[in-house]
Amino acid sequence: MTLRLFNTLTGQLDELVPMDGKALRMYACGPTVYDYGHIGNFRTFLQIDVLRRTLKLLGVPVRHVMNITDVDDKIIRNAAAQGITIGQYSAPFEQAFFEDLEALKVQRPEQLVRATEHIPRMVELVQRLAAAGAAYQAEDGSWYFRLSSFPEYGKLSKKDFSGMEDGARVDLDEYEKDSARDFALWKAAKPGETSWDTAIGRGRPGWHIECSTMSMEYLGESFDLHAGGEDLIFPHHENEIAQSESATRKPFARHWMHVRFLLVDGRKMSKSEGNFYTLRDLLLKGYKASAIRMALISVPYRHQLNFTFDGLAEATSAVERLRTFHQRLISTNWPEGDTHSTAGDAQAVSEAAETAKTKFRAALSDDLNTAEARAAIFDLVRAVNTQADCGNLFRREIPAILDALNQFDSVFDILEDTDAEPTRRALEYAEQAGRQADVAPELLARLSLSDEAIEALVAERATAKKQRNFARADQIRNQLAEKGVVIEDSKDGARWKRK
Ligand SMILES: [Zn+2]
């Protein structure tokens, strides 16, 4: 099965296969580390994680490079305002970014590269563009890309720039969506700003040249896929294409993947609207990292996700259902069953597991349709639970079901409960940042009991039940429920979990 993925450049679904026949070479624009990442940023990184994992599931090796933009207008401005270097300013945000990715179980790319560690290579690319007649130096010493030298400009964003004004310039990293201007490749040093002394003068790189340089450095001048959020199509990715193809005269990335923006409660997420959330904000409200992952990947990447707290509650119970199902499968002593009389049922379950796997892969191969992929697994969960409830589930059927579940989890990655650690770190962050007031009371209540204390209460309840002291047993159950701990009785004893 081959992945068919929408390609912004061609405007259609194209097969995504490695052009060198070995590994899929992909570059994803990483974060600009000037603040904590918000859930819109993480939706993009999570959907790229879904892509990576799907390729691996389909047997395609991946070589994934991601940059860290640790020098740009915002970083320079904020560092200057605090009187510290850009490195001192960006380091904590870079660390926070990696902690957040880990919380969300986003796999690390094969290679992570920092802009500030590639300045000489960026300078060489500017020189190469100048030699090709595609770059010029302005009066202030800054270097600009000459847009009129690249007639294909606009081919990614499908914008028509034929009427553009020749020689008009813009030196901002991010600018208005409809202005086509000669853009800055290298910005001459301004007093008090971070700068590097180089062969093209003292200054610092523009944002776009960073990505052209680092992607081609590690993946070659032509590679398979370039990915990012939809806000990067113009001008960032359009400019990357212009720079790279003007220098090499070769096609840059063949395939372009863009993840759509999310809305929050139907509106654009913004600080002024009061609907702006970082990952940490949600963890402090008591939501689990696994549920946030589930919510952000369940809507396919080209669809607009409307993020709501109802949706997050739904994702929470979806994760819970799958974990309970998995636990039930592995911890129940399933009957052997009489081979003769149960052969038909066994076949039905095995077939359901096989169908679920096929549908799961087919959905992901079809432009990463995570919604359908997820539905295929929940269909299986329902079917198996029905059989189990009627006493029609047998030991020999379990491996096929577990196999389907494991395939699902190789992409969704929510079965293993590692939610305590991100929450613990978020609380640590709240303390350091003086944000204790933002911690949800339910979360504090949930955490006020240690695992050992819960074990002790569960054991005491078991004793109480044995002594037919049901009042005490119920009292303990309620006490635990108030702290968000649920007890489940089975014939093998009581299990507990935090809600
Ligand atoms: Zn980029």
Side-chain angles (χ1 to χ4, degrees):
M1 218 179 267
T2 310
L3 171 62
R4 284 160 52 81
L5 189 73
F6 186 80
N7 183 351
T8 311
L9 187 61
T10 61
Q12 61 184 28
L13 291 178
D14 288 335
E15 286 204 342
L16 187 61
V17 286
M19 64 174 140
D20 66 2
K22 292 180 211 148
L24 194 108
R25 286 172 290 155
M26 59 183 270
Y27 183 87
C29 289
T32 300
V33 280
Y34 74 100
D35 204 345
Y36 295 103
H38 58 68
I39 54 172
N41 303 134
F42 288 114
R43 182 187 191 214
T44 298
F45 295 117
L46 279 162
Q47 294 287 353
I48 293 169
D49 187 57
V50 167
L51 168 74
R52 257 186 81 87
R53 290 166 178 263
T54 299
L55 285 165
K56 287 186 181 173
L57 179 70
L58 299 175
V60 180
V62 174
R63 181 152 159 58
H64 174 189
V65 176
M66 184 173 81
N67 68 298
I68 302 287
T69 296
D70 55 355
V71 50
D72 96 316
D73 294 345
K74 289 190 282 272
I75 293 173
I76 289 176
R77 189 186 58 215
N78 294 0
Q82 294 182 20
I84 54 178
T85 67
I86 57 168
Q88 286 166 333
Y89 178 79
S90 65
F93 292 115
E94 184 183 310
Q95 195 198 331
F97 174 71
F98 287 121
E99 283 176 8
D100 289 351
L101 287 191
E102 201 183 313
L104 292 169
K105 297 203 175 171
V106 174
Q107 291 180 344
R108 289 267 184 132
E110 278 61 39
Q111 200 153 7
L112 285 161
V113 292
R114 281 191 199 86
T116 53
E117 290 166 4
H118 295 78
I119 304 292
R121 302 295 282 158
M122 294 171 197
V123 168
E124 281 170 39
L125 186 55
V126 175
Q127 288 173 315
R128 205 169 158 190
L129 286 170
Y136 65 90
Q137 192 169 25
E139 310 78 49
D140 71 342
S142 295
W143 287 83
Y144 285 86
F145 183 87
R146 191 188 308 280
L147 225 50
S148 59
S149 72
F150 191 68
E152 290 171 75
Y153 194 75
K155 68 180 173 181
L156 182 71
S157 55
K158 319 293 178 214
K159 288 174 184 278
D160 179 10
F161 293 118
S162 51
M164 73 190 176
E165 196 186 337
D166 193 26
R169 293 198 295 254
V170 58
D171 71 350
L172 299 173
D173 283 335
E174 291 167 272
Y175 51 89
E176 292 155 44
K177 297 292 173 199
D178 288 313
S179 75
R181 310 255 170 96
D182 291 357
F183 57 89
L185 299 164
W186 182 262
K187 305 184 193 197
K190 290 195 189 114
E193 276 190 5
T194 307
S195 60
W196 285 262
D197 218 352
T198 74
I200 55 170
R202 190 164 186 83
R204 55 151 176 131
W207 174 35
H208 317 300
I209 200 82
E210 297 178 7
C211 282
S212 280
T213 303
M214 293 185 285
S215 57
M216 293 198 290
E217 173 84 14
Y218 296 102
L219 297 172
E221 292 180 344
S222 292
F223 54 93
D224 296 305
L225 173 81
H226 198 311
E230 67 169 341
D231 54 324
L232 299 187
I233 298 174
F234 185 86
H236 185 53
H237 288 164
E238 198 74 71
N239 291 354
E240 277 191 55
I241 293 175
Q243 295 165 154
S244 307
E245 298 192 352
S246 295
T248 67
R249 301 278 156 205
K250 290 177 197 161
F252 181 45
R254 277 188 315 150
H255 207 120
W256 290 80
M257 171 191 178
H258 292 101
V259 181
R260 258 196 106 176
F261 260 13
L262 57 71
L263 297 177
V264 175
D265 292 323
R267 288 171 303 145
K268 195 168 183 267
M269 182 170 69
S270 79
K271 283 185 179 160
S272 58
E273 289 269 358
N275 65 351
F276 182 94
Y277 300 110
T278 65
L279 174 65
R280 285 144 200 259
D281 294 335
L282 298 183
L283 292 171
L284 294 180
K285 284 179 182 294
Y287 294 98
K288 293 178 179 181
S290 57
I292 300 166
R293 176 177 172 93
M294 187 68 145
L296 294 178
I297 66 179
S298 291
V299 173
Y301 77 97
R302 276 211 295 148
H303 291 251
Q304 192 138 48
L305 162 69
N306 183 22
F307 180 87
T308 62
F309 285 102
D310 284 347
L312 199 45
E314 187 280 331
T316 304
S317 59
V319 168
E320 214 44 61
R321 272 184 68 198
L322 288 163
R323 286 181 182 170
T324 306
F325 177 71
H326 182 245
Q327 193 59 39
R328 183 180 192 187
L329 281 185
I330 59 173
S331 64
T332 307
N333 191 8
W334 300 103
E336 289 289 355
D338 165 358
T339 324
H340 205 70
S341 63
T342 59
D345 289 328
Q347 184 144 2
V349 172
S350 308
E351 267 169 27
E354 212 43 56
T355 305
K357 273 200 291 191
T358 308
K359 279 190 178 170
F360 180 73
R361 280 165 172 257
L364 288 177
S365 304
D366 180 16
D367 205 17
L368 304 175
N369 192 334
T370 47
E372 272 185 27
R374 188 184 127 151
I377 294 302
F378 274 97
D379 285 346
L380 177 66
V381 172
R382 261 188 301 278
V384 172
N385 273 334
T386 306
Q387 292 290 327
D389 293 344
C390 316
N392 280 337
L393 188 66
F394 305 102
R395 190 174 300 174
R396 63 183 174 281
E397 300 162 293
I398 306 302
I401 306 164
L402 282 177
D403 187 42
L405 206 52
N406 287 338
Q407 275 209 17
F408 163 82
D409 208 45
S410 71
V411 177
F412 279 69
D413 204 357
I414 49 84
L415 284 183
E416 193 194 348
D417 188 347
T418 52
D419 290 321
E421 179 61 12
T423 300
R424 189 196 62 74
R425 272 202 298 230
L427 288 168
E428 206 174 86
Y429 150 78
E431 197 166 318
Q432 281 162 9
R435 291 191 54 188
Q436 289 96 331
D438 295 333
V439 181
E442 308 87 72
L443 176 59
L444 290 176
R446 202 166 87 202
L447 295 170
S448 62
L449 267 186
S450 67
D451 288 4
E452 293 74 24
I454 297 171
E455 296 284 1
L457 283 167
V458 170
E460 189 193 335
R461 176 171 166 271
T463 314
K465 275 175 77 177
K466 222 173 268 170
Q467 295 163 348
R468 306 191 67 78
N469 182 356
F470 296 115
R472 176 61 187 148
D474 285 349
Q475 196 181 21
I476 292 171
R477 173 186 281 274
N478 294 339
Q479 189 186 341
L480 287 169
E482 274 165 27
K483 309 274 186 192
V485 177
V486 190
I487 298 191
E488 283 164 358
D489 290 309
S490 74
K491 56 177 186 290
D492 305 323
R495 280 198 304 270
W496 62 268
K497 62 183 179 188
R498 293 182 196 270
K499 213 159 48 185

